[in-house]
Structures are given as C-alpha cells and as structure tokens.
Amino acid sequence: MFLDKAGTAIIKTAFLPRAAAGLAFAIGLLFAIEARAANILTNPGFETAGLAGWTTFGANNYSQTGSNAHSGTNYYKVYGQFILGTNYTGIYQDNASGPGVTYLADGWAESLSSDNIKGKDAIWLEVSFRDASFNALALYRSVVVTSNNIASFGGLSKWFDLQITNQCSFTNASALILLPGSVTNTVTSLVAPVGTVYVRYQVVYSQGSDNANSSMYFDDLTLNQTSGTVV
C-alpha cells in the first residue's frame, strides 16, 4: 500500500491473488476513510496566537507559548474568576453540522504541580449539538477532572487525553453552560440528532465557591467528522 500526495491510500493489486487483492483493497479503503476524517476545529493546537477561532467566556483565558506545549509551541491556559460562588471560564467553537453527522472528539489537558487543580475546581471537555437558535439538543462530555481523581490520569505535570464519550442529561438548553446532569450512555461516536444545525466544542473550567487558586492547560483539541454530509 502506498499514499498519494493527498494522503489517499493506493493499493497495488496487479500481482496479488484475487482474494488477497480484495482484502488489500478493503484495508486500504478503511485506511483512506480514517485518514480523511477531518478535524473541523479552527486553531485546535493554539498555534495561531490570541485564541484565534475561539470564543471566550469568563475571565482568565490565555494563549501561551513555551516548551510546556503538548505539541508545537503554543497552548491554552485557563483559571477561575475569583468571584463569590461557582463561576465558569472557558472557550468554545461552533461549526455547521446536520442530522446524522457523526464525530469523534477528545483533547489533551495538564495540571502543573506548581499550580495544580485543587479545592472545588473542576474541568471538562464537551460537545453539544444545537438547533438553529443554538438551543442544545444533545450533550456529550469527558470525565470531569478534579483534584480527587487527577492521579488516575497520571498525576500532575503530565499531559493526558480526555475522550468525549459520556452522553449526559442537562438542564437550561438555551444557556452557554448546560449544567450537565447524570451520564445516560457511554458511546464511541457522537451522532447529531434530528434538528441539529450546529455542533459546539467547549472547554469548561469550573471554579468553586472556595475560590481555589489553580489553573489548567489544554492543547491539541480534536473534533473529527467521521461520516455524514453538512449541507
């Protein structure tokens, strides 16, 4: 098997037995489909400075440059607003979608030992499908990371991959933060429901009422469209 300049799999079958040639073609087709699964996010690795392509909410969202990046030289740093009560800070990005379009989604996160997540603070990644008025129709979320469970991801000062695989119930469908409820299903593919016009990828930093002083880094965020057509 070879790749052309566009990265498409090319199978040389002229000198293979018919059964082997068929198997090679099937493997090549699967390879080509996977290779063409497109990350639809703009600036997913934050290599364009200033959080270009992302909409911010809350205070203390920063594009930073340094050797600490998961890949490249830039990454995203976020922390809370230090106000009374629970507050939310983060970024999101909306892209056109449609019913039946499917996605895979994840992203890399890190909590430095010098500024580690603590207290009531929590972070998560989420994908929501929204209608023409941006009301949520479905919500998928990663594991919620806190100081209580970060050791299970390898501990502090280590990048870890957060897969978005938990389908969740939610309230306040028209709000920016959907206030997720319980996990209702665990999936491998995120499927846009009927009525979908947009898909939203969002990073959420929740600072608790104790106003703990901590932060998180994010890099190499992914929202791969794996099937379906956006009209």
Side-chain angles (χ1 to χ4, degrees):
M1 182 175 66
F2 301 89
L3 296 180
D4 65 12
K5 291 181 179 179
T8 302
I10 300 173
I11 308 300
K12 301 296 186 179
T13 60
F15 303 104
L16 292 176
R18 181 172 298 178
L23 177 60
F25 179 80
I27 293 173
L29 182 61
L30 290 173
F31 181 91
I33 291 172
E34 182 179 358
R36 289 185 173 183
N39 186 1
I40 66 172
L41 295 176
T42 298
N43 196 22
F46 308 102
E47 295 306 308
T48 302
L51 301 177
W54 295 92
T55 300
T56 64
F57 58 93
N60 300 320
N61 295 288
Y62 300 98
S63 173
Q64 295 195 332
T65 301
S67 59
N68 191 58
H70 177 254
S71 71
T73 58
N74 289 4
Y75 54 93
Y76 163 54
K77 179 180 180 178
V78 58
Y79 53 92
Q81 302 175 59
F82 300 100
I83 58 178
L84 295 177
T86 301
N87 60 88
Y88 301 96
T89 305
I91 56 175
Y92 69 92
Q93 190 175 132
D94 292 326
N95 281 277
S97 186
V101 180
T102 64
Y103 303 87
L104 297 175
D106 70 329
W108 290 83
E110 181 185 32
S111 179
L112 288 185
S113 56
S114 59
D115 192 18
N116 59 294
I117 189 167
K118 58 179 72 75
K120 297 180 180 180
D121 289 5
I123 64 99
W124 64 88
L125 304 177
E126 68 180 39
V127 169
S128 58
F129 294 104
R130 299 185 178 244
D131 64 17
S133 299
F134 293 96
N135 292 313
L137 303 170
L139 172 66
Y140 296 88
R141 193 186 63 190
S142 70
V143 172
V144 176
V145 179
T146 68
S147 60
N148 294 326
N149 67 357
I150 196 167
S152 66
F153 298 98
L156 301 175
S157 297
K158 293 182 182 296
W159 285 100
F160 54 90
D161 187 23
L162 282 177
Q163 302 283 334
I164 302 176
T165 57
N166 293 325
Q167 186 169 10
C168 298
S169 61
F170 59 90
T171 57
N172 63 334
S174 62
L176 182 67
I177 304 298
L178 296 175
L179 299 182
S182 60
V183 175
T184 60
N185 194 20
T186 301
V187 301
T188 56
S189 184
L190 316 182
V191 182
V194 173
T196 295
V197 176
Y198 301 103
V199 56
R200 174 173 294 177
Y201 186 109
Q202 188 160 253
V203 179
V204 181
Y205 189 104
S206 172
Q207 185 182 49
S209 57
D210 55 345
N211 282 183
N213 186 13
S214 56
S215 67
M216 288 290 295
Y217 295 166
F218 295 90
D219 202 356
D220 296 329
L221 308 180
T222 302
L223 181 60
N224 278 350
Q225 182 180 331
T226 55
S227 70
T229 301
V230 176
V231 180

